């Protein structure tokens, strides 16, 4: 099965179109105002209208009030929710959408610790393994030690420091369901490079 590709942190219409033209399976939009890739609802409305059928639009949230998530869902057509903070499983499942949880690998010193962390999210549709810890909510461009990936029966989305120089190795070694790239395909924070996305 081919590895899916999610391009996250899109902020510009031209970048959304370039990601679609490159064949991305999913596009990520960051609703976290401390991120340089943050989009407002007004921006998101203009960007998501460009997303065609069969390409997933994913909304990324970090410890957002539940009412904020609901207001976002009422305003823009998100297919899935990505939770990147300390949200509980009960919190994540309340919105009636498919969701997946980002795993803070910097805070989990071993595969055993990571496996215990995953057990708290039994109905996450997938797990996104990223280099971040609770002090840094992703987007750092740093990779983690991929050998610490714990076993799971859920689809694995690999993130954190992926770029054209290492993504092939990651796919070859671990056969993840998907890879999630953001800073690795940028020319500046929030500004994607069409050449890097194509590569």
């Amino acid at each position: 099965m081919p590895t899916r590709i999610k391009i996250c942190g899109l902020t510009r219409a031209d970048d959304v179109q370039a990601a679609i033209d490159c064949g991305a399976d999913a596009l990520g939009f960051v609703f976290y105002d401390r991120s340089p890739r943050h989009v407002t609802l007004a921006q998101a409305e203009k960007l998501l209208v460009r997303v065609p059928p069969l390409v997933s639009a994913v909304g990324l949230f970090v410890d957002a009030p539940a009412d904020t998530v609901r207001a976002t869902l009422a305003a823009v057509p998100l297919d899935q929710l990505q939770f990147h903070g300390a949200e509980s499983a009960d919190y994540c499942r309340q919105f009636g959408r498919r969701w997946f949880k980002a795993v803070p690998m910097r805070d989990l010193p071993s595969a055993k610790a990571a496996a215990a962390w995953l057990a708290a999210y039994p109905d996450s549709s997938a797990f996104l393994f990223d280099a971040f810890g609770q002090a840094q909510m992703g987007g750092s461009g740093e990779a983690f030690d991929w050998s610490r990936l714990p076993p799971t029966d859920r689809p694995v989305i690999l993130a954190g420091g992926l770029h054209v120089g290492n993504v092939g190795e990651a796919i070859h070694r671990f056969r993840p369901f998907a890879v999630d790239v953001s800073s690795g395909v940028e020319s500046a924070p929030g500004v994607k490079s069409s050449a890097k996305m194509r590569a």
Side-chain angles (χ1 to χ4, degrees), residues 28-176:
F29 302 91
V30 177
F31 297 96
Y32 177 52
D33 59 12
R34 290 173 56 188
S35 169
R37 300 166 185 91
H38 169 254
V39 291
T40 65
L41 281 183
Q43 287 174 297
E45 288 174 350
K46 293 176 181 177
L47 296 175
L48 268 77
V49 74
R50 295 172 169 267
V51 180
L54 307 184
V55 174
S56 292
V58 181
L60 186 157
F61 297 89
V62 181
D63 296 323
D67 286 348
T68 298
V69 179
R70 292 191 188 98
T72 304
L73 288 170
V76 294
L78 297 173
D79 300 301
Q80 298 186 62
L81 304 177
Q82 175 180 335
F83 295 111
H84 228 278
E87 302 92 352
S88 69
D90 285 343
Y91 171 95
C92 295
R93 67 172 66 102
Q94 70 180 296
F95 303 105
R97 294 291 167 93
R98 295 189 71 192
W99 59 275
F100 57 93
K101 193 74 177 71
V103 183
M105 293 301 289
R106 186 175 297 164
D107 290 346
L108 302 169
S110 67
K112 183 177 180 180
W117 192 95
L118 302 186
Y121 298 92
D123 50 348
S124 181
S125 65
F127 288 109
L128 183 146
F129 294 89
D130 199 352
F132 79 103
Q134 292 305 318
Q136 164 83 43
M137 297 302 179
S140 67
E142 298 176 11
F144 64 93
D145 178 1
W146 298 330
S147 68
R148 294 195 294 109
L149 281 171
T152 176
D153 62 356
R154 300 300 163 82
V156 168
I157 304 171
L158 190 59
L162 295 175
H163 51 77
V164 70
N166 66 7
V167 70
E169 178 190 357
I171 292 170
H172 178 73
R173 287 178 60 188
F174 298 103
R175 301 294 179 191

